[in-house]
Amino acid sequence: MKTHLYSTILADGFRPTLAKEKEITYDADKILNPKEAVDFFKETFRLDKMAEEHCYMLSRNTQGCITGVFLISKGTIGKSVVGIREVFLMALLSGAASILLCHNHPSGECHPSRDDILLTEKLAEAGKLLGIPLTDHIIIGGSNYYSFKEQEKDEKL
């Protein structure tokens, strides 16, 4: 699979547009489950080894193929600011049919904080309104991970 890491820039000084930062090559065409997403982020961005929190988003088409990867936020050792507007701006610009969010906890503890839970709820709600569902939010802590999708099987995101 080939895709791109994108950022957003202002074209003509005012209009947000996508800018390709680098090409990403990965063995799978699709990421179908949380374990595959974790492997992707560990192999591609070393998210299990980063000393600060990094939050990434995958945009996907209707078949689940990745259409883009975005660095949403780079924070500190214990916090990363993620804006709902910025997540969905990137999702809309990339034509996403769904999104997956993944971030790391440098402490190695992958259990979600209260802020992580609130963020996931807000993203899921916004995604429902926009027709771009949040399919999962994954937290990587060292060699472990937490998937909201796996942990909340009875509840749809």
Side-chain angles (χ1 to χ4, degrees), residues 79-136:
K79 188 164 184 103
S80 181
V81 177
V82 175
I84 306 302
R85 176 196 176 278
E86 287 71 25
V87 168
F88 284 100
L89 173 65
M90 293 176 196
L92 289 164
L93 287 172
S94 67
S98 67
I99 61 171
L100 181 145
L101 209 68
C102 184
H103 80 277
N104 67 313
H105 282 176
S107 67
E109 172 58 52
C110 61
H111 195 74
S113 68
R114 180 71 185 137
D115 286 343
D116 294 333
I117 294 167
L118 290 173
L119 172 64
T120 304
E121 290 170 353
K122 288 178 182 178
L123 286 168
E125 184 179 330
K128 285 178 186 174
L129 290 172
L130 291 170
I132 305 172
L134 173 67
T135 57
D136 203 352

Side-chain angles (χ1 to χ4, degrees), residues 5 41 45 47 50 54-58 69-73 100-103:
L5 175 68
F41 284 107
F45 299 106
L47 209 50
M50 301 308 290
H54 289 70
C55 182
Y56 287 91
M57 180 191 74
L58 296 180
V69 182
F70 300 84
L71 174 61
I72 300 296
S73 178
L100 181 145
L101 209 68
C102 184
H103 80 277

Side-chain angles (χ1 to χ4, degrees), residues 60-80:
R60 301 191 288 189
N61 66 17
T62 55
Q63 282 74 46
C65 297
I66 298 170
T67 58
V69 182
F70 300 84
L71 174 61
I72 300 296
S73 178
K74 179 181 175 186
T76 65
I77 191 168
K79 188 164 184 103
S80 181

